[in-house]
Amino acid sequence: GTDVAREASSLVLLNDDFASIVHAIRLGRRIYGNLRKAMTYVVAVHMPIAGMALLPLIFGTPLAFAPVHIVFLEMIINPACAIVFEIEEAESDIMQRPPRSIDERLFGLRNVLLAVLQGLGLLVAVAVVFFLSLASGLMDGQARALAFTCLVIGNLALIVSNRSILHGMFALLRIPNPAQWWMLGGTSIALAAILSTKKLLAVFHFSPIHTRDLLMPLLASATAIAWFELV
């Protein structure tokens, strides 16, 4: 009888503690939520990448990014999905939420809209930096470096912002996630090395920039972060 019950059932309890069911539901909801967060981030972060590949072609300006830039960005995006979002703890209200419908999509319209709005905000910020830099007379390599800086900072902000829909970005910086700090710190160091090393500048097709020129991508990134919070 026991073997028949095991074969016929959808759920088998391996002990007589019914709290196991609660723990399993909590774990399942956490995994489900973290998958949604990672997917929202992936869609959002690729919008400015795709947009900045297309806009220079439309307006006849030098290309904004080369393959080396995309490779660098993917070295941030992939670990963020595989590590940062994977180890994210469950939301504080996760067990107070009603059960979701079995027909509910993993990545529904609401998630798509959230990702698109975030991605469009960052795309506008990066495009403004790139085209304004060219219009102000900066060299192609300088405009490219400033736009790339804005995109990298915005990428890091997207990682933090999408960790939770319940908390603001500054609150999330205080909520523990060790992988987040490895990503933020490692990427910041790598970006600083690229912008200050002659050989790396050449590899990334950048021209040397002045410290004061960084004000524009920093302001644009701050605007994008405010947009993420508003969304």
Side-chain angles (χ1 to χ4, degrees):
T2 301
D3 291 338
V4 173
R6 283 177 181 270
E7 290 296 327
S9 62
S10 300
L11 178 68
V12 177
L13 299 182
L14 299 181
N15 58 48
D16 57 2
D17 183 3
F18 284 91
S20 300
I21 300 176
V22 179
H23 296 319
I25 292 174
R26 181 179 180 87
L27 178 61
R29 290 186 175 189
R30 175 188 165 217
I31 293 172
Y32 191 87
N34 287 349
L35 280 171
R36 275 185 162 177
K37 296 171 186 178
M39 293 172 68
T40 302
Y41 162 71
V42 167
V43 173
V45 76
H46 280 94
M47 289 195 65
I49 296 175
M52 290 308 297
L54 181 63
L55 290 178
L57 297 177
I58 294 175
F59 294 106
T61 64
L63 294 179
F65 301 130
V68 65
H69 306 118
I70 309 303
V71 170
F72 181 88
L73 290 167
E74 292 298 334
M75 290 175 65
I76 304 172
I77 295 169
N78 293 335
C81 293
I83 302 174
V84 176
F85 291 109
E86 182 177 343
I87 68 172
E88 183 66 27
E89 293 296 329
E91 301 278 10
S92 57
D93 69 338
I94 198 165
M95 295 304 289
Q96 281 72 52
R97 300 174 186 175
R100 65 177 181 272
S101 170
I102 59 173
D103 298 323
E104 180 181 314
R105 293 177 179 270
L106 173 61
F107 199 65
L109 179 61
R110 182 177 183 276
N111 305 100
V112 172
L113 288 175
L114 176 63
V116 168
L117 288 173
Q118 287 181 326
L120 285 177
L122 184 54
L123 172 59
V124 170
V126 176
V128 166
V129 170
F130 183 69
F131 291 113
L132 276 184
S133 298
L134 291 176
S136 65
L138 293 180
M139 294 185 293
D140 299 351
Q142 292 175 312
R144 192 174 294 117
L146 295 177
F148 185 72
T149 300
C150 180
L151 180 53
V152 170
I153 296 174
N155 186 358
L156 295 178
L158 275 175
I159 294 173
V160 179
S161 178
N162 280 292
R163 283 180 54 206
S164 173
I165 60 173
L166 297 180
H167 306 284
M169 187 173 298
F170 295 106
L172 286 169
L173 290 174
R174 298 191 298 271
I175 297 175
N177 186 318
Q180 169 188 267
W181 290 108
W182 281 106
M183 289 295 305
L184 297 182
T187 303
S188 300
I189 293 171
L191 179 62
I194 292 169
L195 296 177
S196 59
T197 307
K198 289 185 178 180
K199 289 186 177 181
L200 290 177
L201 284 172
V203 169
F204 280 79
H205 310 288
F206 293 159
S207 300
I209 56 176
H210 299 290
T211 304
R212 65 177 180 273
D213 293 331
L214 290 173
L215 181 62
M216 181 162 53
L218 290 176
L219 287 175
S221 301
T223 304
I225 291 171
W227 172 248
F228 299 158
E229 292 292 278
L230 179 62
V231 171

